């Protein structure tokens, strides 16, 4: 039985027994008086505990729960126990909420919770950066007061949020993918993701395909034109004409071959993070080979010399580095007028390895320099084509150097010439490594 009931029944029986005993000895008046006295004391006992409880209820957080005696001790102990477990539950809930908020704050995506009228209830830190919504400052404000882009306002009005909305910032070049997810009773979760780099990659991919198609289109058109001419039975071609046409066809074929070779080189460089065939490369023989290649390309039109000032070897992929260096050498010759000089050098400077190719050629306007390593970027398209360029040489150089922890430095002045330097860090120099190990 419930202890309150058993106690009350006990008190009633005890007061009746006391009343009967007192009534038997001192008469019924004293008997009833005794009953009334016991009940009055009991009433006082309850009133005192109730007063204590009522006082505590006025400020339950500040005061501790009063203790009690008898049946109140048990009741208050139970209340104390219930309060304790509620407090533990509340703490656990509080901690879970904090964890949830911390996780939502750490999300790389922006999150805004909206009420049924599209007023802001809560937002994370990323939403502040991406959409300028501050959880503290803007709570209660209509979201369209802060995200005013007309496309967003129209999207919010729609009832179908199946596809995300792409928002392009008018101030910066940032692109956001915004999505609304409905949940609970008329609540909305607005998520935003920065897709600027995805968009940039997409544009780069599209441009790349367009560029490759464009580069291939001309030689293919020229080739098919000549094939048609040569196979035309009504056309009488002289042996000289035929020879010239075949020569031009071979030239276009070579142009396509060079382009495809460069594209394959680039794709091979992109398909692995590091070179697989790294070894010690002696720079003197490598530079001598580059000199021979340069002389063959120049055909005696330029003065070319080599200066190997250090015996330090390079650690890397010989095939990749040879391809990068010969791209620099071939550019120096192709962009230098006849009679110009080209200087190939290898030296150590401030502990770094420097492979440089200098020419006294046409030079480059400074505004073009930051874009030279972009695929198909050319300062002078006509000159590049005339000299057999694909527009991919410096993109290959940049890739190879990055894979060797090296950088490309360009110094150039229009009309005076250029110096392209591949700068290698100390850890790529073999002699230095050995010297350090010996020390
Ligand atoms: P390309 O096949 O057109 O030479 P690259 O990627 O090798 O392509 O070079 C990109 C552009 O940089 C060239 O088109 C040219 O305008 C410029 N360039 C590269 N090297 C030199 C140089 N040594 N002197 C002047 N311009 C250069």
């Amino acid at each position: 039985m419930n202890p309150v009931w058993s106690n009350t029944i006990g008190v009633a029986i005890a007061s009746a027994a006391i009343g009967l005993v007192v009534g038997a000895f001192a008469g019924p008046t004293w008997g009833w008086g005794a009953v009334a006295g016991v009940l009055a004391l009991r009433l006082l006992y309850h009133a005192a505990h109730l007063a204590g409880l009522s006082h505590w209820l006025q400020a339950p957080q500040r005061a501790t729960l009063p203790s009690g005696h008898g049946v109140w001790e048990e009741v208050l102990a139970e209340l104390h126990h219930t309060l304790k477990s509620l407090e533990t539950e509340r703490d656990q809930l509080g901690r879970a909420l904090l964890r949830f908020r911390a996780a939502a704050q750490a999300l790389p995506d922006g999150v805004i919770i909206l009420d049924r009228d599209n007023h802001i209830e809560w937002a994370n830190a990323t939403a502040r950066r991406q959409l300028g919504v501050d959880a503290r400052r803007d709570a209660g404000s209509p979201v369209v007061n802060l995200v005013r882009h007309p496309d967003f306002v129209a999207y919010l009005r729609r009832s179908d949020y199946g596809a995300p909305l792409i928002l392009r910032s008018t101030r910066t070049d940032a692109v956001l993918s915004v999505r609304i997810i409905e949940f609970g009773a008329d609540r909305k979760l607005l998520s935003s993701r920065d897709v600027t780099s995805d968009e940039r990659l997409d544009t780069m991919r599209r441009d790349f395909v367009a560029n490759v198609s464009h580069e291939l289109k001309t030689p293919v058109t020229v080739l098919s034109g000549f094939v048609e001419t040569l196979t035309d039975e009504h056309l009488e071609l002289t042996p000289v004409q035929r020879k010239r046409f075949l020569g031009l066809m071979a030239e276009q074929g070579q142009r396509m071959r060079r382009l495809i070779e460069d594209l394959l080189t680039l794709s091979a460089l992109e398909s692995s993070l590091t070179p697989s065939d790294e070894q010690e490369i002696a720079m003197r023989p490598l530079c001598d080979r580059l000199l021979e290649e340069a002389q063959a390309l120049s055909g005696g039109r330029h003065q070319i010399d080599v200066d190997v000032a250090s015996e330090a070897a390079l650690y890397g992929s010989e095939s990749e580095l040879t391809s990068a260096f010969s791209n620099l050498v071939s550019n120096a010759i192709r962009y230098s007028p006849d009679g110009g000089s080209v200087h190939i050098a290898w030296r150590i400077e401030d502990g770094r390895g420097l492979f440089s190719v200098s020419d006294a050629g046409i030079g480059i306007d400074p505004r073009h320099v930051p874009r030279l390593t972009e695929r198909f970027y050319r300062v002078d398209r006509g000159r590049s084509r005339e000299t057999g360029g694909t527009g991919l040489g410096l993109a290959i150089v940049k890739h190879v150097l990055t894979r060797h922890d090296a950088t490309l430095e360009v110094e150039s002045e229009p009309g005076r010439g250029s110096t392209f330097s591949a700068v290698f860090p100390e850890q790529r120099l073999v002699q230095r490594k050995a010297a350090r190990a010996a020390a």
Side-chain angles (χ1 to χ4, degrees):
M1 190 194 279
N2 185 303
V4 177
W5 280 117
S6 55
N7 186 279
T8 309
I9 293 167
V11 169
I13 293 170
S15 64
I18 290 169
L20 280 174
V21 172
V22 175
F25 286 104
T29 313
W30 283 103
W32 283 112
V35 170
V38 171
L39 288 180
L41 279 175
R42 199 63 197 169
L43 208 61
L44 263 176
Y45 159 80
H46 284 307
H49 280 95
L50 272 173
L53 191 60
S54 148
H55 178 73
W56 173 79
L57 275 171
Q58 280 164 14
Q61 301 89 349
R62 271 180 275 133
T64 47
L65 189 68
S67 54
H69 303 282
V71 68
W72 278 96
E73 187 177 357
E74 274 179 57
V75 170
L76 290 172
E78 238 171 79
L79 186 58
H80 188 262
H81 180 73
T82 311
L83 282 174
K84 268 271 160 237
S85 50
L86 278 176
E87 220 170 84
T88 315
E89 235 169 75
R90 195 190 58 200
D91 284 355
Q92 277 170 352
L93 270 176
R95 275 198 295 273
L97 189 67
L98 279 179
R99 272 201 303 274
F100 168 78
R101 288 215 164 167
Q105 289 290 10
L107 274 179
D109 291 355
V111 176
I112 302 175
I113 309 281
L114 302 176
D115 66 12
R116 64 173 64 208
D117 301 316
N118 295 328
H119 288 194
I120 295 159
E121 279 192 347
W122 184 81
N124 71 355
T126 314
R128 188 176 59 231
R129 280 197 304 278
Q130 291 180 348
L131 295 163
V133 172
D134 186 304
R136 285 208 195 137
R137 186 194 61 199
D138 303 322
S141 309
V143 69
V144 288
N145 282 6
L146 294 134
V147 187
R148 291 162 182 268
H149 200 293
D151 291 353
F152 175 73
V153 178
Y155 179 67
L156 192 62
R157 279 211 204 99
R158 279 192 345 215
S159 49
D160 166 29
Y161 302 120
L165 167 77
I166 298 295
L167 269 188
R168 278 164 223 282
S169 166
T170 42
R171 286 175 292 117
T172 60
D173 58 357
V175 185
L176 294 179
S177 167
V178 173
R179 180 168 218 146
I180 287 181
I181 300 140
E182 291 174 293
F183 73 102
D186 293 339
R187 288 278 192 294
K188 290 188 192 87
L189 186 148
L190 190 158
S191 84
S192 59
R193 169 170 300 174
D194 191 335
V195 290
T196 316
S197 55
D198 297 7
E199 285 273 309
R200 212 170 280 153
L201 270 180
D202 253 10
T203 315
M204 269 170 67
R205 208 174 33 230
R206 271 197 301 271
D207 287 355
F208 182 67
V209 172
N211 274 321
V212 171
S213 319
H214 181 77
E215 293 292 331
L216 284 173
K217 202 175 153 205
T218 320
V220 168
T221 313
V222 174
L223 267 176
S224 58
F226 282 134
V227 169
E228 263 175 45
T229 314
L230 288 172
T231 51
D232 189 340
E233 286 165 3
H234 307 294
L235 264 180
E236 291 278 322
L237 293 173
T238 62
V240 176
Q241 276 176 320
R242 188 172 285 272
K243 198 170 169 213
R244 196 171 70 82
F245 285 179
L246 285 171
L248 289 168
M249 284 170 76
E251 209 175 88
Q252 296 302 328
Q254 270 166 17
R255 185 167 153 195
M256 285 202 290
R257 205 201 61 228
R258 271 196 306 272
L259 180 67
I260 289 163
E261 273 171 7
D262 276 0
L263 285 170
L264 287 173
T265 306
L266 263 182
S267 113
L269 289 171
E270 278 172 353
S271 60
S272 74
L273 274 177
T274 47
S276 54
D277 56 342
E278 291 199 320
Q279 61 180 60
E280 208 176 301
I281 308 162
M283 290 303 282
R284 197 175 287 279
L286 174 63
C287 287
D288 288 343
R289 278 201 307 279
L290 290 171
L291 175 67
E292 273 170 35
E293 234 179 71
Q295 278 163 342
L297 186 66
S298 158
R301 289 174 297 127
H302 305 86
Q303 289 144 26
I304 310 162
D305 68 277
V306 168
D307 175 18
V308 179
S310 164
E311 286 309 318
L314 250 184
Y315 190 75
S317 157
E318 185 156 14
S319 56
E320 287 186 18
L321 288 169
T322 305
S323 142
F325 295 163
S326 66
N327 260 309
L328 295 180
V329 173
S330 120
N331 280 354
I333 290 171
R334 287 170 40 234
Y335 297 105
S336 295
D338 289 359
S341 62
V342 171
H343 182 67
I344 304 168
W346 168 246
R347 65 182 189 280
I348 305 297
E349 211 177 87
D350 300 331
R352 304 176 309 162
L354 250 86
F355 172 84
S356 62
V357 182
S358 310
D359 63 62
I362 59 172
I364 307 159
D365 193 286
R367 72 195 154 98
H368 296 292
V369 171
R371 299 195 59 190
L372 291 182
T373 55
E374 283 176 25
R375 293 160 184 195
F376 298 115
Y377 189 86
R378 289 138 157 157
V379 178
D380 179 348
R381 195 166 282 271
R383 176 150 193 153
S384 160
R385 288 238 175 88
E386 263 168 41
T387 55
T390 59
L392 295 172
L394 290 181
I396 293 174
V397 171
K398 166 113 185 268
H399 260 287
V400 170
L401 295 189
T402 306
R403 285 154 71 83
H404 287 82
D405 318 305
T407 51
L408 180 68
E409 287 179 6
V410 184
E411 281 169 55
S412 189
E413 211 181 306
R416 303 203 64 142
S418 320
T419 297
F420 284 75
S421 309
V423 185
F424 294 86
E426 197 178 349
Q427 64 267 26
R428 284 274 169 189
L429 306 178
V430 177
Q431 208 182 52
R432 296 230 151 202
K433 252 190 191 170
R436 237 198 347 252

